[in-house]
Amino acid sequence: MSQEIIDSLAIGYVLVEWMIRIIMLIVVPLRRSPGAARGWLFVTFFIPIPALIIYLLIGRPTYPRWRRKRFEKARQLLANATDEISHSKFCSHPILPETYAPAAKLVQNLGQFPILGGNKIDLLSDYDRTVDQLISDINGANHHVHLLSYIFANDRTGSKVIDALTRASKRGVECRVLIDALGSRRWARAIRNRLMSAGVQVARALPVTFLRRRSARADLRNHRKIAIIDASIGYIGSQNIIDAEYAPGLFNRELVVHVAGPVVLEMQAVFAADWYLETGQVLDDAAYFPHRHGKGSIMAQLLPSGPDFPVTGAGRLVVALIYSARRRVFITTPYFIPDVALVEALETAVLRGVEVNLILSRASDNILVGLAQRSYYDQMLRAGITIYLYGDGLLHAKHIMVDDLICVVGSTNIDIRSFQLNAEASLIIYDEKLARMLAAEQSKNIAASERLSQEVWNQRAVPVKLVQNIARLVSPLL
């Protein structure tokens, strides 16, 4: 090949790169947050051709048209379920004190579900005991078991749950399991074979393949963790169906809510909508939404969120709760990559005299996410926010408490992925006694943590700061 041809190809390559940069500069900021646009443009500037390919694959946080149409039917199913729940003579619609009313109204407008009284709620923080209690409830099931998990592993814990589902299925109990196709990809084939051979119905959420017309995007996942037994008992929280020892010597620390009462029917409605989205099967029989007396006195409501919904619910709720705080806020999360709105809310809360505490995991299972998260510590510390770094394993629990009044527990992380890309579910609980129980869990986590000081954090090496700041630039893409 002559030098002239080589020079021409080189010029052409440079022109293509600059064309991509210019086009992306025009297209990327449309319908994106400034942080997300900045991240894409940063990557495009350095590696324009790979950036364009990745952008075409995952650039827009929306599902394909066929799924959006199906979700419109799913929203109607949710609305019908909500109407059924709301008009039950056994369903308690509490008159809220002023401290609760704005948050409850926001949650209902974001996720459709009203606040319901008459619930009995317990917190489960012991990993293996949570699994054992779930298995015990499955063993006692009479009509149906519905289970949705981001990760369902074919390990010791997964086998125990499979055995319980197998026994239930043989008793004639309807068992349905929905697992995220990407989160459970290592074990999906084995899990499906074992469950289906036992008569359990199994579906994968958002399967990704280049050969199917209805393939999902790899970055849009169903991250919910929900279990419903006989429409009377529910589980929701951070714990997947996998052994606690995530990696050798690194144990997951979780928090799960065990629920009995009307709000379980809201969890049932979310499962039914997700099941319909993936299978086309409608679960609207009255047996799935029975009218029963309440089991307790706690007020709660469910917030489902994700790209299917027209408004990003989880992020808006967190920001609104922080702005509503008057005394103190506790946020526990394994992944902390806030957007601009959340950073401003946290800083403003401190300026108003609110005590803001972040309980974060020192260990991380994702190097890039960990680097990006740590890039925010300096800004948080300078704002007067207290940071505790949990050192006894991977703190995977996700919960928020505001003013010892309102608690949020579920699958939602405090990051852009949970706020915009993942399908999540959070239970909002309005009860001072439950808040004291959650405060006790937070105290245990703080006791196993080290409080981070500004002086110590400033001593990290310059190359470390540089790498963290680079990771922060691309954090909106994580």
Side-chain angles (χ1 to χ4, degrees):
M1 185 179 295
S2 67
Q3 186 61 43
E4 292 180 356
I5 296 177
I6 294 175
D7 292 343
S8 298
L9 290 174
I11 293 172
Y13 183 83
V14 171
L15 289 174
V16 168
E17 285 195 328
W18 277 104
M19 286 178 61
I20 292 173
R21 292 185 180 107
I22 293 171
I23 292 172
M24 293 285 274
L25 182 62
I26 297 171
V27 173
V28 165
L30 298 176
R31 298 182 181 179
R32 258 174 209 82
S33 67
R38 185 171 58 250
W40 277 111
L41 293 176
F42 175 79
V43 174
T44 300
F45 181 82
F46 288 101
I47 49 171
I49 294 177
L52 177 62
I53 295 172
I54 297 172
Y55 179 84
L56 293 174
L57 291 174
I58 64 171
R60 286 189 175 275
T62 57
Y63 289 117
R65 183 176 301 174
W66 70 267
R67 185 179 174 91
R68 295 199 298 271
K69 289 182 178 179
R70 181 173 282 190
F71 183 71
E72 290 305 313
K73 175 68 178 295
R75 281 178 65 87
Q76 186 58 49
L77 294 175
L78 286 173
N80 293 343
T82 301
D83 186 66
E84 182 74 13
I85 295 167
S86 299
H87 287 86
S88 169
K89 64 180 181 179
F90 301 119
C91 184
S92 169
H93 295 281
I95 299 175
L96 292 174
E98 187 59 32
T99 51
Y100 294 153
K105 184 65 175 178
L106 174 64
V107 173
Q108 182 169 350
N109 286 337
L110 291 172
Q112 296 188 234
F113 292 126
I115 186 171
L116 301 175
N119 299 288
K120 181 178 183 298
I121 297 177
D122 295 305
L123 301 180
L124 306 175
S125 59
D126 185 292
Y127 199 103
D128 290 332
R129 288 184 181 178
T130 300
V131 175
D132 291 341
Q133 184 160 348
L134 173 62
I135 290 171
S136 176
D137 287 334
I138 293 174
N139 288 338
N142 295 310
H143 183 265
H144 66 269
V145 176
H146 292 157
L147 197 154
L148 165 59
S149 184
Y150 176 67
I151 297 176
F152 196 136
N154 189 32
D155 58 8
R156 181 184 60 86
T157 297
S159 294
K160 289 170 65 175
V161 176
I162 289 172
D163 290 344
L165 291 168
T166 299
R167 292 191 296 270
S169 180
K170 289 181 178 179
R171 296 196 310 271
V173 176
E174 296 179 17
C175 297
R176 296 179 178 86
V177 173
L178 181 59
I179 60 177
D180 184 81
L182 197 60
S184 301
R185 67 188 183 281
R186 288 173 53 190
W187 311 277
R189 184 184 298 273
I191 293 295
R192 292 179 71 191
N193 290 342
R194 293 180 65 183
L195 288 173
M196 292 176 70
S197 65
V200 177
Q201 299 181 56
V202 185
R204 293 185 304 152
L206 302 165
V208 179
T209 172
F210 293 108
L211 301 179
R212 287 179 55 184
R213 182 174 62 87
R214 293 191 168 186
S215 175
R217 274 179 39 179
D219 62 328
L220 302 182
R221 309 316 314 156
N222 191 323
H223 194 244
R224 295 171 181 145
K225 293 98 175 170
I226 298 174
I228 305 103
I229 294 92
D230 289 342
S232 62
I233 297 172
Y235 291 77
I236 182 171
S238 62
Q239 188 165 329
N240 292 291
I241 300 175
I242 189 172
D243 288 345
E245 192 172 5
Y246 181 84
L250 185 64
F251 289 84
N252 281 358
R253 308 300 183 186
E254 310 283 359
L255 187 72
V256 174
V257 174
H258 180 271
V259 187
V263 80
V264 174
L265 300 184
E266 296 185 347
M267 298 163 62
Q268 181 86 292
V270 170
F271 179 90
D274 282 351
W275 187 260
Y276 170 74
L277 282 171
E278 304 303 337
T279 69
Q281 180 184 3
V282 177
L283 304 177
D284 59 356
D285 189 274
Y288 301 125
F289 298 94
H291 295 184
R292 294 193 179 113
H293 288 287
K295 300 292 185 179
S297 59
I298 296 177
M299 299 178 292
Q301 66 187 138
L302 190 70
L303 175 63
S305 59
D308 281 316
F309 290 83
V311 178
T312 54
R316 288 176 186 258
L317 173 64
V318 174
V319 169
L321 287 177
I322 293 169
Y323 275 118
S324 73
R326 294 295 176 264
R327 296 189 302 277
R328 63 176 184 162
V329 174
F330 280 90
I331 298 176
T332 301
T333 180
Y335 311 117
F336 179 77
I337 302 180
D339 57 13
V340 174
L342 180 54
V343 169
E344 290 180 349
L346 292 169
E347 293 175 339
T348 302
V350 174
L351 292 173
R352 290 189 290 108
V354 176
E355 174 193 336
V356 179
N357 304 275
L358 301 177
I359 308 174
L360 310 175
S361 182
R362 182 184 296 277
S364 178
D365 58 353
N366 186 305
I367 295 176
L368 190 57
V369 171
L371 289 169
Q373 171 172 303
R374 289 189 284 274
S375 73
Y376 287 92
Y377 291 175
D378 182 65
Q379 184 177 1
M380 296 295 100
L381 291 169
R382 284 189 286 105
I385 295 168
T386 301
I387 298 178
Y388 296 99
L389 297 181
Y390 184 85
D392 187 20
L394 175 63
L395 184 60
H396 193 250
K398 313 149 198 300
H399 47 86
I400 299 171
M401 186 174 68
V402 175
D403 289 342
D404 302 319
L405 293 172
I406 300 176
C407 305
V408 181
V409 183
S411 62
T412 306
N413 296 306
I414 306 301
D415 64 4
I416 298 170
R417 169 159 294 283
S418 277
F419 288 175
Q420 297 183 3
L421 301 179
N422 286 342
E424 306 282 7
S426 301
L427 187 68
I428 296 85
I429 306 164
Y430 309 85
D431 186 80
E432 292 186 48
K433 182 178 178 181
L434 196 285
R436 288 195 294 271
M437 294 169 59
L438 184 58
E441 290 296 328
Q442 291 166 338
S443 295
K444 289 194 298 185
N445 291 334
I446 289 173
S449 303
E450 177 188 356
R451 180 170 177 174
L452 185 63
S453 69
Q454 183 77 66
E455 294 75 20
V456 171
W457 191 242
N458 287 341
Q459 292 173 9
R460 67 197 194 283
V462 173
V464 173
K465 296 179 182 179
L466 178 61
V467 172
Q468 290 171 352
N469 288 334
I470 291 174
R472 179 172 180 167
L473 287 174
V474 298
S475 63
L477 313 183
L478 301 178

